[in-house]
């Protein structure tokens, strides 16, 4: 069973007089232990697709299944709980809180768990992304690649089934971007999670188990 499944998913945006069909009957699947890289030109619907998988938005038509469960009609509370427990997110601009240390940023999504060992898990995750010596650094004391590694560690703190990354290398030079994707690929295998990563850098598709190309809201 696929951990991510989109069936006939349509997303339309109504903005005033104009309707934009960002996704046109998209079918998509991803499996545990698989890293799917989604490419395609700007405006082709990549972020829209990722946001639907991540329950940050709802489709106009079609079905979203996570781990075989139909989550399309989940209400806001169910979506929030699903995001917290099953989904990790990594964004182009890192989204780290500037006043918190690396370790505190990693711990943050687990704050409303009464799990006493979350600091240990944060330290462990930062070690696994090569940042054992940066635990108490704040984001402004870290390089771009290090910031993205902190964000990757943070995305894994609640032991998600799925990691979603929207242009995770967009603010990094190509070599650093390659290292970051390499890191994601390693963690994916170790944690047996599904990764969906967007990039428009065609060099980075080498890290993918599978490449999906979106053009004009259609999977090619
Ligand atoms: N919130 C929104 N409201 C209206 N149009 C949107 C919105 N989000 C995205 N779009 C439009 O949907 C299309 C796909 O956008 P997006 O998924 O962000 O593409 P990509 O990530 O591939 O660059 C674009 O034409 C974009 O302008
Ligand atoms: Mg985008």
């Amino acid at each position: 069973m696929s951990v991510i499944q989109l069936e006939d998913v349509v997303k339309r945006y109504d903005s005033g007089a104009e309707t934009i069909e960002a996704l046109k009957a998209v079918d998509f699947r991803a499996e545990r232990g698989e890293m799917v890289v989604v490419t395609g030109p700007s405006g082709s619907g990549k972020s829209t697709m990722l946001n639907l998988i991540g329950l940050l938005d709802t489709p106009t038509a079609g079905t979203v299944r996570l781990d075989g469960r139909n989550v399309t009609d989940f209400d806001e509370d169910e979506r929030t709980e699903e995001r917290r427990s099953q989904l990790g997110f990594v964004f182009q601009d890192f989204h780290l809180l500037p006043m918190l240390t690396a370790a505190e940023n990693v711990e943050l999504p687990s704050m409303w768990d009464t799990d006493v060992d979350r600091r240990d898990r944060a330290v462990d995750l930062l070690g696994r992304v090569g940042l054992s010596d940066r635990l108490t650094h704040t984001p402004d004391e870290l390089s771009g690649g290090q910031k993205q590694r902190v964000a990757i560690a943070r995305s894994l703190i609640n032991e998600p089934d799925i990691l979603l990354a929207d242009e995770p290398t967009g603010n990094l030079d190509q070599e650093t971007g390659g290292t970051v994707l390499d890191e994601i690929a390693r963690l994916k295998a170790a944690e047996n999670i599904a990764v969906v990563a967007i990039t428009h850098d065609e060099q980075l598709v080498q890290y993918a188990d599978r490449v999906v190309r979106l053009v004009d809201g259609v999977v090619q």
Side-chain angles (χ1 to χ4, degrees), residues 42-43 45-48 92 166-167 198:
S42 176
K46 303 183 298 296
S47 294
T48 299
Q92 175 170 357
D166 194 344
E167 304 271 2
I198 293 175

Side-chain angles (χ1 to χ4, degrees), residues 53-188:
I53 297 169
L55 307 185
L56 297 166
D57 205 348
T58 51
T60 309
T63 306
V64 180
R65 287 180 208 281
L66 297 181
D67 230 356
R69 288 163 305 129
N70 187 340
V71 299
T72 319
D73 298 320
F74 269 21
D75 66 24
E76 205 42 62
D77 286 349
E78 292 171 311
R79 301 159 75 75
T80 302
E81 172 54 22
E82 187 75 10
R83 281 198 299 272
R84 192 195 64 75
S85 60
Q86 309 294 348
L87 296 157
F89 295 90
V90 174
F91 301 96
Q92 175 170 357
D93 49 6
F94 320 125
H95 288 198
L96 300 178
L97 291 184
M99 70 294 279
L100 298 184
T101 66
E104 288 164 348
N105 267 287
V106 173
E107 277 184 66
L108 198 59
S110 69
M111 276 308 175
W112 48 86
D113 271 354
T114 46
D115 185 355
V116 286
D117 65 4
R118 62 172 174 258
R119 171 53 61 103
D120 292 346
R121 175 141 172 95
V123 170
D124 174 58
L125 281 166
L126 282 166
R128 290 166 63 189
V129 296
L131 292 177
S132 292
D133 53 353
R134 295 289 187 278
L135 302 177
T136 60
H137 285 56
T138 52
D140 66 332
E141 298 167 332
L142 299 170
S143 70
Q146 289 171 335
K147 281 191 265 230
Q148 199 57 299
R149 286 196 188 89
V150 173
I152 292 163
R154 178 187 56 189
S155 77
L156 297 174
I157 190 79
N158 289 330
E159 304 185 310
D161 297 327
I162 297 166
L163 173 57
L164 303 174
D166 194 344
E167 304 271 2
T169 62
N171 283 342
L172 307 174
D173 63 66
Q174 197 170 74
E175 190 188 337
T176 309
T179 323
V180 162
L181 281 191
D182 209 26
E183 201 82 66
I184 292 175
R186 257 189 338 96
L187 291 163
K188 169 217 80 173

Side-chain angles (χ1 to χ4, degrees), residues 193-211:
I193 57 178
V195 176
V196 183
I198 293 175
T199 181
H200 58 236
D201 185 342
E202 301 288 340
Q203 298 285 329
L204 294 175
V205 303
Q206 63 176 296
Y207 296 93
D209 298 311
R210 190 154 59 84
V211 179

